[in-house]
Amino acid sequence: MEKTFNLARRDDGIAILTMDVPGETMNTLRAEFGPEITEILAEVKADPSITGLVVISGKADSFVAGADISMLAACKSEADAKALSQQGHVLFSELEGLSIPVVAAINGACLGGGLELALACHLRICSDDKKTMLGLPEVQLGLLPGTGGTQRLPRLVGITTALDMMLTGKQIRPKQALKMGLVNDVVPNSILLETAIELAKKGKKAAKPVVQSKINQFLESTSFTRDIIFDQARKQVLKKTQGNYPAPAKIIDCVRQGMSKGVVKGLEVEATHFANLVMSKESAALRSLFFATTEMKKETGAEGAEPREVKKVMVIGGGLMGGGIASVTTTKAKIPVRVKDISEQGLSNALAYAYKLLDKGVKRRHMTPAVRDNIMSLMTTTTEYNGVKDADIVVEAVFEDLALKHQMVKDVERECGENTIFASNTSSLPIGQIAEAASRPENVIGLHYFSPVEKMPLVEVIAHKTTSPETIATTVAFARKQGKTPIVVQDGAGFYVNRILALYMNEAAQLLLEGQRIEHIDSALVKFGFPVGPMTLLDEVGIDVGAKISPILEKELGDRFKAPAAFDKLLADERKGRKNGKGFYQYGPKAKKAKLVDESVYKVLDIAIASDKEAKEVAERCTIQMLNEAIRCLEEGIIASARDGDIGAIFGIGFPPFLGGPFRYIDTLGAANLVTTLHRYQSLYGDRFAPCDTLVNMANDGSLFYKK
């Protein structure tokens, strides 16, 4: 069997330990490597000629990308998971306990268990390569660093910095890592190994103490002031997670106990908490999401079709969406883009939007002004169809108007090549209807982005009946290059995400008209796990946009999509939401940091405020229709699988990730329970709550979307 770890001795007394997992592009840590590492460490200890050890990766682009999380699925109990963590503790303590200096030479990703390995070394040095990133992202999987990270990191960089890293899972760049004392030096990759060898020769004394800010020095100096840090962290975490995610509180507890009672106690607490989290339903849901997105990245979206290369892109429309789409195309995909708009104003808006986003990177020192200007030079503009003949894909982001979109299709077919893909960023018009104007309908596809484009990870790739497999594969690959997670959905009004969202928003509107306060509805759904409440979301998206989508969905899908008629009064009162500073909430200079409801909206809608319904009931009424409609979309073949439906809802509308998505959540609730609840609401509020056929069948035969 090929070995993962190889020890090479040099004449100067320094030994190089290279980690290179056979047959994998990246190194990950696995439990079965234990005996191999133990053997090597024993060999190092027994050899007096070895005076220093350098740990390095045999992979070109990564140090260690983390622990292999698929091994967690093998844990059948908390005892199994605890044993896994403790095995890691023993190994890393042995490494740390070597009497000779041990230096980690880091190039590329050094994340999770990889950083914990580096922390167990006495010194760390990293390359200045842009692929080099250090972090402990376990919290994003509902876990905590389980091989000593919660104990070694605070002792190295200070409690405040360590908590910030572990509670956010953020990735640290080389310069930041040096400044915070996470690494001892940063050098070009070409001299990484030599510098690490020199550092090993200097010995453990080469470590410099971390220089902390005066305030952090003061806060971390006594147990009383340290408690202030932990209490503040706990409060912030609770506000952010609404108590839905158990990992952050457990991370804080590991650090608190370790710092007050010592490393041994800290490691014991870490192993116990780690084991508890591995077996939690929240972590199981988040890990399933991780595997689902990883699996998706390997798919082309169309069986047997290969994507064509996209070398040039055209975006029609310089509004918020067009500007955002052009920006992710140049910044993330590094593909030249030509923006077309009928007015110079629209074009300068699109350029200003992209520049502002890039300039944030310069201000945060993530890029130089020269890099920013180079990326900006990939974006050009035109008011005519000039310089677009060779565009491989045209993304249209104009108003939701079928006649206008038909005109765009004809213009593009006239001006561009015969293989040019026409991708419409429509949010509700069926793509088949847009393709009716095309002489090459096989090139027409939907590419539905969510606002704001640079932040929202999802895009829906919508194929109509005659879209070619090659068009689908090329569009999916293009969306991935833009840093997006694409799901392929079939054509139909509202596609998938807006269709399930519309019923959720309508129900929130019904609750408002029944006299439920705006902030009560919003806080009930934030508590349930959504990033923002439905009223805030409607203000952000635009009340006018919502009003345009509803009639289309009602016409195509029936009465259950009928929006409350009273909402027309909002538009009559010029309320569009944040964009014109007038909606459900107050905007403008008068609105302080705290978000305040614009109380005058109740008068506009003739609402008499009623007493608050229980938050749980408010959340249930809004989300239950979304679940029912998600199953209908699967029933009709709009989405290909429960997995795609879960990813679409989480990345597209912020469905609570710890629930794993609508379909995983339905499995948790049980189809029979869901049918009972829907029937109860149906008797109270009407047929919009009628359970769909598939759900009724599942309730009868006890089937699930996912195998246990």
Side-chain angles (χ1 to χ4, degrees):
M1 198 178 104
E2 279 185 273
K3 282 184 147 187
T4 295
F5 295 88
N6 289 294
L7 189 69
R9 293 167 175 77
R10 292 165 44 101
D11 298 340
D12 56 6
I14 304 298
I16 313 294
L17 178 58
T18 307
M19 178 177 180
D20 195 344
V21 182
E24 299 286 342
T25 51
M26 286 206 158
N27 283 334
T28 54
L29 293 171
R30 296 176 196 158
E32 67 256 29
F33 298 157
E36 205 183 320
I37 301 172
T38 307
E39 201 178 302
I40 283 179
L41 293 179
E43 199 181 316
V44 170
K45 265 188 205 162
D47 188 341
S49 72
I50 298 177
T51 56
L53 183 67
V54 172
V55 182
I56 199 163
S57 163
K59 307 291 181 200
D61 292 331
S62 72
F63 179 67
V64 181
D68 182 352
I69 63 165
S70 58
M71 65 185 173
L72 300 180
C75 296
K76 295 286 175 269
S77 64
E78 285 195 23
D80 290 352
K82 188 169 181 176
L84 203 61
S85 170
Q86 287 172 325
Q87 182 194 343
H89 288 164
V90 171
L91 281 180
F92 286 180
S93 294
E94 273 182 42
L95 180 68
E96 191 177 39
L98 289 177
S99 56
I100 56 168
V102 182
V103 181
I106 302 161
N107 175 55
C110 174
L111 303 169
L115 181 56
E116 290 181 285
L117 167 64
L119 289 169
C121 299
H122 306 128
L123 300 159
R124 283 148 299 284
I125 180 168
C126 75
S127 76
D128 58 7
D129 192 280
K130 62 175 183 294
K131 286 196 174 118
T132 300
M133 286 288 187
L134 299 92
L136 293 172
E138 286 87 347
V139 73
Q140 293 162 3
L141 294 173
L143 298 168
L144 55 74
T147 34
T150 66
Q151 302 308 304
R152 291 191 178 94
L153 188 64
R155 286 172 172 78
L156 182 66
V157 299
I159 296 169
T160 316
T161 307
L163 282 176
D164 181 44
M165 272 178 74
M166 290 188 282
L167 294 172
T168 59
K170 62 165 69 161
Q171 298 188 4
I172 307 293
R173 294 159 192 269
K175 272 186 187 160
Q176 289 170 286
L178 182 63
K179 198 174 166 191
M180 64 165 60
L182 187 56
V183 298
N184 304 85
D185 205 354
V186 176
V187 296
N189 192 27
S190 54
I191 58 164
L192 178 68
L193 183 59
E194 288 141 60
T195 319
I197 290 164
E198 289 311 309
L199 202 55
K201 285 179 183 169
K202 281 183 191 163
K204 297 180 191 178
K205 291 191 282 295
K208 295 189 214 57
V210 178
V211 181
Q212 286 194 301
S213 69
K214 290 274 186 287
I215 179 89
N216 284 356
Q217 267 175 9
F218 165 70
L219 284 172
E220 295 181 21
S221 59
T222 70
S223 64
F224 172 72
T225 49
R226 279 204 296 268
D227 282 344
I228 297 173
I229 300 177
F230 295 125
D231 286 342
Q232 278 304 105
R234 252 197 309 271
K235 277 182 199 149
Q236 281 172 336
V237 156
L238 196 63
K239 192 175 166 196
K240 206 168 170 192
T241 66
Q242 299 290 318
N244 288 321
Y245 295 84
K250 285 186 159 49
I251 289 171
I252 295 167
D253 190 50
C254 288
V255 179
R256 187 178 60 81
Q257 295 219 44
M259 294 312 277
S260 61
K261 297 173 185 165
V263 174
V264 176
K265 176 67 178 169
L267 289 173
E268 165 59 28
V269 173
E270 180 185 272
T272 305
H273 282 341
F274 174 78
N276 180 262
L277 290 171
V278 168
M279 303 314 288
S280 71
K281 59 182 193 304
E282 291 86 359
S283 177
L286 293 167
R287 295 199 308 267
S288 73
L289 188 62
F290 171 79
F291 288 124
T293 48
T294 310
E295 183 187 9
M296 252 183 149
K297 284 178 188 152
K298 298 170 187 154
E299 299 168 356
T300 64
E303 278 293 301
E306 282 304 308
R308 282 200 300 268
E309 195 183 347
V310 173
K311 293 182 186 156
K312 186 172 178 182
V313 177
M314 174 185 179
V315 173
I316 306 180
L320 273 183
M321 292 306 280
I325 295 163
S327 171
V328 293
T329 306
T330 52
T331 312
K332 293 264 168 52
K334 308 281 190 286
I335 300 173
V337 68
R338 195 145 174 88
V339 184
K340 179 194 179 295
D341 197 283
I342 45 174
S343 75
E344 289 290 351
Q345 184 60 48
L347 295 173
S348 59
N349 285 349
L351 287 168
Y353 188 76
Y355 185 85
K356 193 171 135 199
L357 290 177
L358 284 168
D359 205 43
K360 272 187 196 162
V362 175
K363 287 192 175 114
R364 290 182 186 148
R365 302 204 169 152
H366 292 171
M367 67 168 72
T368 62
V371 170
R372 173 199 62 203
D373 298 344
N374 273 343
I375 294 173
M376 278 307 296
S377 70
L378 289 172
M379 196 183 292
T380 56
T381 58
T382 178
T383 51
E384 303 293 326
Y385 282 91
N386 293 335
V388 296
K389 266 204 295 294
D390 53 347
D392 298 296
I393 187 164
V394 174
V395 184
E396 161 275 302
V398 300
F399 299 114
E400 289 288 275
D401 179 306
L402 193 58
L404 179 62
K405 290 185 191 281
H406 279 168
Q407 187 56 52
M408 298 295 118
V409 174
K410 288 174 182 157
D411 290 349
V412 167
E413 287 195 328
R414 186 185 66 241
E415 301 288 344
C416 300
E418 62 181 66
N419 289 324
T420 301
I421 292 171
F422 180 90
S424 174
N425 172 50
T426 175
S427 51
S428 55
L429 292 167
I431 303 301
Q433 292 180 14
I434 295 171
E436 281 166 9
S439 55
R440 295 189 285 270
E442 67 279 5
N443 293 345
V444 177
I445 196 163
L447 189 54
H448 178 215
Y449 295 84
F450 295 84
S451 183
V453 177
E454 70 281 0
K455 284 195 180 131
M456 296 300 281
L458 189 81
V459 293
E460 289 179 303
V461 174
I462 305 117
H464 66 94
K465 296 265 185 297
T466 56
T467 304
S468 74
E470 196 180 25
T471 297
I472 298 171
T474 305
T475 308
V476 165
F478 169 62
R480 276 202 194 114
K481 272 196 137 172
Q482 292 176 317
K484 301 294 171 200
T485 298
I487 62 166
V488 178
V489 301
Q490 293 311 306
D491 199 13
F495 317 124
Y496 170 62
V497 174
N498 276 350
R499 182 168 156 181
I500 63 171
L501 180 65
L503 293 179
Y504 163 82
M505 299 295 265
N506 279 355
E507 205 52 46
Q510 296 286 1
L511 280 156
L512 173 65
L513 295 173
E514 286 166 26
Q516 292 300 298
R517 293 175 305 116
I518 289 164
E519 65 271 42
H520 180 58
I521 296 169
D522 272 356
S523 79
L525 282 135
V526 168
K527 202 167 174 47
F528 180 79
F530 280 92
V532 297
M535 296 302 161
T536 302
L537 186 61
L538 200 49
D539 262 4
E540 294 294 331
V541 172
I543 297 167
D544 54 331
V545 175
K548 273 202 188 93
I549 295 172
S550 277
I552 298 172
L553 295 177
E554 191 190 338
K555 178 172 158 264
E556 300 281 336
L557 298 165
D559 283 351
R560 67 180 182 280
F561 282 91
K562 192 173 178 59
F567 266 49
D568 295 344
K569 294 177 185 169
L570 293 174
L571 295 177
D573 193 43
E574 286 295 306
R575 285 177 193 263
K576 291 181 181 176
R578 181 184 282 283
K579 67 171 89 165
N580 74 339
K582 201 173 172 192
F584 295 108
Y585 286 94
Q586 295 178 24
Y587 297 98
K590 276 188 288 197
K592 297 282 184 291
K593 274 258 170 36
K595 228 170 56 172
L596 295 173
V597 168
D598 182 349
E599 301 281 341
S600 65
V601 81
Y602 296 124
K603 202 167 162 205
V604 173
L605 293 169
D606 293 326
I607 291 169
I609 301 291
S611 60
D612 290 349
K613 289 183 194 288
E614 233 184 286
K616 191 169 169 291
E617 188 193 333
V618 171
E620 185 175 69
R621 240 180 89 179
C622 292
T623 51
I624 201 162
Q625 289 211 58
M626 182 188 267
L627 302 178
N628 198 18
E629 200 60 32
I631 302 174
R632 276 202 186 93
C633 290
L634 186 61
E635 204 174 63
E636 294 167 22
I638 297 289
I639 45 174
S641 63
R643 178 204 72 177
D644 289 7
D646 282 343
I647 287 173
I650 290 170
F651 289 157
I653 46 184
F655 189 90
F658 70 92
L659 295 175
F663 293 95
R664 251 180 217 285
Y665 184 45
I666 293 162
D667 278 357
T668 308
L669 290 172
N673 292 334
L674 187 53
V675 167
T676 307
T677 312
L678 280 162
H679 279 319
R680 189 175 87 242
Y681 283 124
Q682 189 181 0
S683 65
L684 289 168
Y685 304 108
D687 286 346
R688 65 178 186 273
F689 284 99
C692 67
D693 296 345
T694 301
L695 182 59
V696 174
N697 295 339
M698 288 177 73
N700 290 336
D701 62 19
S703 55
L704 297 165
F705 289 110
Y706 291 96
K707 290 186 186 75
K708 271 275 184 273

